[in-house]
Amino acid sequence: MSMIQVSAFSAKPYDQAFLTQAASSDLCFCCYNLPLDAVSAPMANGVEIVCAFVNDDLSRTTLEILHKGGTRLIALRCAGYNQVDLLAAQELGISVVNVPAYSPYAVAEYAISLMLALSRKLPRAYNRVRDGNFSLDGLLGFDFYGKTVGIIGGGKIGQLVAERLKAFGCTMLIYDPYNKDVCIEMGFDVVELDVLLAQSDIISLHCPLTNDTRYIIDDAAIEKMKQGVMLINTSRGALMDTKAVLAALKKHKVAYLGLDVYEQEGSLFFEDHSTEIIQDDVIQRLITLPNVLVTGHQAYFTKEALVHISETTVSNILDFVAGKELVNQVVAK
Ligand code: NAI
């Protein structure tokens, strides 16, 4: 068999290491540490298989350029595919595959880490102690035991978060219009969104970004929440109207915010901007608040997840080359 060439974009050194480790000897990943968009797409000219990640721009324009260059498969190294114009891909005869679940445990554990770090003010305590300050003023936390936690999206990750927080003694509420039965069978209270918003002390987002879920947390939703609520988003940035959340933080309606994703993360995340003046005033303001914890889309980032992402990506590609059924194909609905 001749060598199978794959152009992999947004491929950091760690991605390259894991992909190379998972690849068979007839598979060659040409890794570019830059995002895929209409400008970089010609770099894949003549290559049938393109491997992309979560913030790559797979709009119609990019797909048309890739199509002209001979691309027939987009192998996403992530679960979410809201960055791909699936209809355009279908029209151009480009198949799209994803990695449906790499480590739901990684993301679930991370969401809970954000909750605990915020409630017990660990970032402040860490900085304080390093400065020789052992005072407890301003570090007062709260028990999770007895609190109500609302999970929006009761899929793989949402269920794991719910199971783990139940063990903390929390009352779990789930809102998921498409996966009610499974959540009820697992023993969770499945409620309407308004009930979840009104009763939860902590709200964690675990649904995909779709037209229905874009800005599911907006001014109106925040209005329905408890005073002093904690919001956690490890799912997709545009599930929240960040400006509305910032306004609610200023008014103390939202008392804690944990974000691993951000609406405008595409131009910021996964890169070092520490010597630049960041132009995005919303994220800059958020970062200054003592009750906000922002991380750069790292919830998935565990060894186990990277092994799984690489192995599934390789298997998706080999199935395509062998003309087999694409078990992880995503199509326009
Ligand atoms: P999943 O597909 O197993 O679960 C998603 C659930 O959301 C499903 O049960 C679905 O019925 C539900 N849902 C769909 N529309 C909804 C709506 N309008 N309201 C409420 N629920 C709705 O997906 P999984 O694996 O649990 O992942 C969830 C999300 O986590 C992904 O869509 C992705 O955006 C995000 N993610 C973030 C990562 C990170 O590193 N920060 C890594 C992996 C995933």
Side-chain angles (χ1 to χ4, degrees), residues 155-157 176 178-179 206 208 213 234-236 260 297 300:
K156 291 178 286 292
I157 297 170
D176 189 328
Y178 310 106
N179 208 16
H206 299 288
T213 60
T234 56
S235 211
R236 282 294 176 269
D260 186 50
H297 210 133
Y300 78 100

Side-chain angles (χ1 to χ4, degrees), residues 142-149 165 169-172 199 201-202:
F142 66 82
D143 291 2
F144 270 51
Y145 179 80
K147 295 294 181 297
T148 299
V149 183
L165 288 178
C170 297
T171 299
M172 299 305 305
Q199 294 187 3
D201 301 295
I202 298 158

Side-chain angles (χ1 to χ4, degrees), residues 24-156:
S24 49
S25 56
D26 50 2
L27 198 54
C28 173
F29 282 96
C30 180
C31 292
Y32 301 110
N33 187 353
L34 84 178
L36 173 59
D37 55 22
V39 177
S40 61
M43 293 172 80
N45 255 349
V47 180
E48 273 196 350
I49 302 164
V50 164
C51 188
F53 196 47
V54 65
N55 288 328
D56 286 327
D57 164 14
L58 286 149
S59 58
R60 182 178 285 274
T61 315
T62 309
L63 290 168
E64 281 171 353
I65 297 167
L66 290 174
H67 174 253
K68 270 196 198 131
T71 298
R72 290 173 51 226
L73 179 74
I74 306 285
L76 298 172
R77 303 192 301 279
C78 53
Y81 43 83
N82 53 282
Q83 73 278 38
V84 188
D85 185 334
L86 288 176
L87 202 60
Q90 203 168 304
E91 283 168 21
L92 294 164
I94 299 176
S95 305
V96 181
V97 285
N98 72 342
V99 181
Y102 17 104
S103 174
Y105 303 99
V107 183
E109 288 167 12
Y110 195 83
I112 295 169
S113 307
L114 285 179
M115 292 174 197
L116 293 170
L118 279 166
S119 75
R120 305 308 299 268
K121 304 186 168 63
L122 290 185
R124 296 192 80 189
Y126 172 79
N127 285 325
R128 205 178 264 199
V129 168
R130 280 167 68 94
D131 200 29
N133 177 355
F134 295 90
S135 150
L136 297 184
D137 284 343
L139 297 184
L140 189 66
F142 66 82
D143 291 2
F144 270 51
Y145 179 80
K147 295 294 181 297
T148 299
V149 183
I151 302 285
I152 300 183
K156 291 178 286 292

Side-chain angles (χ1 to χ4, degrees), residues 36-323:
L36 173 59
D37 55 22
V39 177
S40 61
M43 293 172 80
N45 255 349
V47 180
E48 273 196 350
I49 302 164
V50 164
C51 188
F53 196 47
V54 65
N55 288 328
D56 286 327
D57 164 14
L58 286 149
S59 58
R60 182 178 285 274
T61 315
T62 309
L63 290 168
E64 281 171 353
I65 297 167
L66 290 174
H67 174 253
K68 270 196 198 131
T71 298
R72 290 173 51 226
L73 179 74
I74 306 285
L76 298 172
R77 303 192 301 279
C78 53
Y81 43 83
N82 53 282
Q83 73 278 38
V84 188
D85 185 334
L86 288 176
L87 202 60
Q90 203 168 304
E91 283 168 21
L92 294 164
I94 299 176
S95 305
V96 181
V97 285
N98 72 342
V99 181
Y102 17 104
S103 174
Y105 303 99
V107 183
E109 288 167 12
Y110 195 83
I112 295 169
S113 307
L114 285 179
M115 292 174 197
L116 293 170
L118 279 166
S119 75
R120 305 308 299 268
K121 304 186 168 63
L122 290 185
R124 296 192 80 189
Y126 172 79
N127 285 325
R128 205 178 264 199
V129 168
R130 280 167 68 94
D131 200 29
N133 177 355
F134 295 90
S135 150
L136 297 184
D137 284 343
L139 297 184
L140 189 66
F142 66 82
D143 291 2
F144 270 51
Y145 179 80
K147 295 294 181 297
T148 299
V149 183
I151 302 285
I152 300 183
K156 291 178 286 292
I157 297 170
Q159 287 165 17
L160 288 173
V161 173
E163 276 178 339
R164 279 147 186 74
L165 288 178
K166 210 170 176 182
F168 276 63
C170 297
T171 299
M172 299 305 305
L173 303 178
I174 296 190
Y175 168 67
D176 189 328
Y178 310 106
N179 208 16
K180 277 186 186 167
D181 295 347
V182 174
C183 296
I184 291 168
E185 263 172 44
M186 290 179 76
F188 299 118
D189 282 343
V190 178
V191 295
E192 289 306 315
L193 183 58
D194 280 359
V195 174
L196 182 147
L197 296 174
Q199 294 187 3
S200 301
D201 301 295
I202 298 158
I203 297 175
S204 196
L205 300 177
H206 299 288
C207 57
L209 177 63
T210 63
N211 288 336
D212 289 344
T213 60
R214 186 173 300 274
Y215 282 5
I216 196 165
I217 302 300
D218 59 3
D219 277 321
I222 293 167
E223 191 62 38
K224 294 173 187 154
M225 292 176 195
K226 278 188 177 177
Q227 184 71 27
V229 66
M230 176 189 287
L231 296 182
I232 301 291
N233 189 2
T234 56
S235 211
R236 282 294 176 269
L239 294 174
M240 278 183 173
D241 175 351
T242 319
K243 285 184 182 154
V245 176
L246 178 56
L249 279 157
K250 286 186 185 171
K251 287 189 270 180
H252 308 283
K253 173 87 189 210
V254 173
Y256 308 85
L257 175 69
L259 296 184
D260 186 50
V261 286
Y262 172 58
E263 289 187 75
Q264 309 299 339
E265 71 176 54
S267 56
L268 284 173
F269 283 14
F270 303 119
E271 302 298 335
D272 178 3
H273 298 284
S274 56
T275 57
E276 298 165 20
I277 304 295
I278 291 175
Q279 298 297 320
D280 184 328
D281 291 346
V282 175
I283 194 126
Q284 278 295 78
R285 183 73 179 102
L286 281 177
I287 292 169
T288 64
L289 299 180
N291 50 351
V292 174
L293 186 47
V294 180
T295 56
H297 210 133
Q298 72 175 81
Y300 78 100
F301 198 54
T302 63
K303 281 183 208 159
E304 292 80 359
L306 289 196
V307 166
H308 193 76
I309 289 171
S310 310
E311 289 179 350
T312 309
T313 299
V314 166
S315 153
N316 283 341
I317 292 170
L318 293 179
D319 282 352
F320 175 80
V321 173

